[in-house]
Amino acid sequence: MTKQRVGVLISGRGSNMKSLIAAAQAADYPAEIAVVISNVPGAGGLAIAAEAGVRALVIDSKSFGKGADGKRKFESALTAELKAARVDLVCLAGFMRLLSADFVNDWSGRLVNIHPSLLPAFKGLDVHAEMLRAGVKIAGCTVHYVSAEMDAGPIIGQAAVPVHSGDTPETLAARILDEEHKLYPECVRRIADGEVRLRDGIAVLSGAPASGALANPVRSPR
Ligand code: GRF
C-alpha cells in the first residue's frame, strides 16, 4: 500500500496532531505523518512529535516580519518544506495563523482543518464560550477543506456532543476535544482511501465510517 504523506501544521499543544500520529502508527492506516511544522518555537506539540519519531521543525512566522510581505515569505518557506517532504495532504491542527488566499489556492483540495464547532455555526475563536452564551444544546467539531474564507470550506466530517447545564468553556472544550481526536484521524483515513470527492463545492463521501465517528448521534449525558 502506498501511503499518503501528511504534513501537520501546529502552533500549540498538538493533541490533534498526537491523535493523527497515533492513528498513522497502525500498519493498515493509509497515511503517514511525513512532517510536523510549528510556526511557534517551543510549541508543546513539537516534543510530542519528536518523541514519536516524527520529523518536527519550526518555521517561526514572526521572524519573517509583519504585513503581506512577511506572510508571503513565511508561506513560501512553509511550502518549500512541505514539498521537500513530498506531502500529499496538509492538516491544520491548532494552527493559529490565517493563511493567504494564494497559499490556500496552491493547496486547494489538499488542505484540511479541524474546528471545535458544528460549522457553519460558530466560526472563529473562543467558540466554546460563545456556544454557552448562545445556549446551544448540541455542540461538536468539524473537519473541513480550507478555503480562502475562514472556517467556511467544504465539510468532510462532524461529530456532536451534548452541552450540559453546568458546562464551562473548559468542560465543553474537553468534551469536544475527545471527539476531535477520533474525528480527525477518521476523516484523514477517508481522504487517503479516496472516499472523499469534491462536487460543486460540497464534499461527497463514499464508503462507510470505520468507527461511527462521522455524523455520530449525540451521546446521552454522562
Ligand atoms: C482544537 O480545539 C482545534 O479544533 C482548534 O484548535 C485546537 C487545537 O488543539 N483548531 P490541539 O493543539 O490539537 O490540542
Side-chain angles (χ1 to χ4, degrees):
M1 167 172 66
T2 313
K3 298 198 178 209
Q4 292 281 296
R5 294 176 65 79
V6 173
V8 185
L9 304 189
I10 64 167
S11 302
R13 69 187 163 184
S15 71
N16 277 290
M17 171 215 74
K18 188 179 177 189
S19 73
L20 290 170
I21 291 175
Q25 275 162 355
D28 62 350
Y29 195 76
E32 62 188 305
I33 311 304
V35 67
V36 167
I37 304 176
S38 171
N39 71 310
V40 176
L46 286 165
I48 298 172
E51 204 172 304
V54 173
R55 184 160 165 258
L57 51 104
V58 175
I59 302 178
D60 183 358
S61 45
K62 288 210 172 122
S63 70
F64 294 87
K66 289 201 166 119
D69 193 46
K71 190 186 267 290
R72 194 163 32 77
K73 287 181 181 146
F74 166 64
E75 290 179 350
S76 20
L78 213 49
T79 293
E81 287 294 350
L82 292 168
K83 292 214 163 128
R86 291 177 287 112
V87 159
D88 303 299
L89 178 71
V90 179
C91 292
L92 307 183
F95 183 70
M96 301 304 286
R97 285 283 293 198
L98 269 184
L99 293 163
S100 71
D102 282 346
F103 184 91
V104 169
N105 289 336
D106 282 351
W107 290 93
S108 176
R110 298 177 296 154
L111 179 61
V112 296
N113 180 43
I114 187 156
H115 179 77
S117 79
L118 293 172
L119 292 172
F122 302 104
K123 298 173 177 169
L125 296 173
D126 293 327
V127 292
H128 306 98
E130 238 182 82
M131 287 189 275
L132 292 177
R133 274 197 296 276
V136 299
K137 304 296 181 265
I138 299 173
C141 50
T142 303
V143 172
H144 63 95
Y145 284 109
V146 176
S147 62
E149 193 191 331
M150 191 179 56
D151 300 330
I155 292 169
I156 299 162
Q158 295 184 304
V161 302
V163 180
H164 300 328
S165 53
D167 266 336
T168 62
E170 291 73 30
T171 60
L172 180 56
R175 195 175 308 119
I176 294 173
L177 195 63
D178 276 350
E179 292 299 325
E180 294 183 37
H181 295 162
K182 292 177 246 169
L183 183 69
Y184 215 172
E186 171 67 354
C187 288
V188 169
R189 180 195 71 72
R190 295 191 72 158
I191 294 167
D193 273 339
E195 294 179 8
V196 186
R197 297 258 175 275
L198 277 171
R199 199 182 299 150
D200 299 331
I202 293 206
V204 181
L205 277 66
S206 55
S211 60
L214 297 182
N216 72 326
V218 177
R219 300 211 161 93
S220 42
R222 275 173 274 216

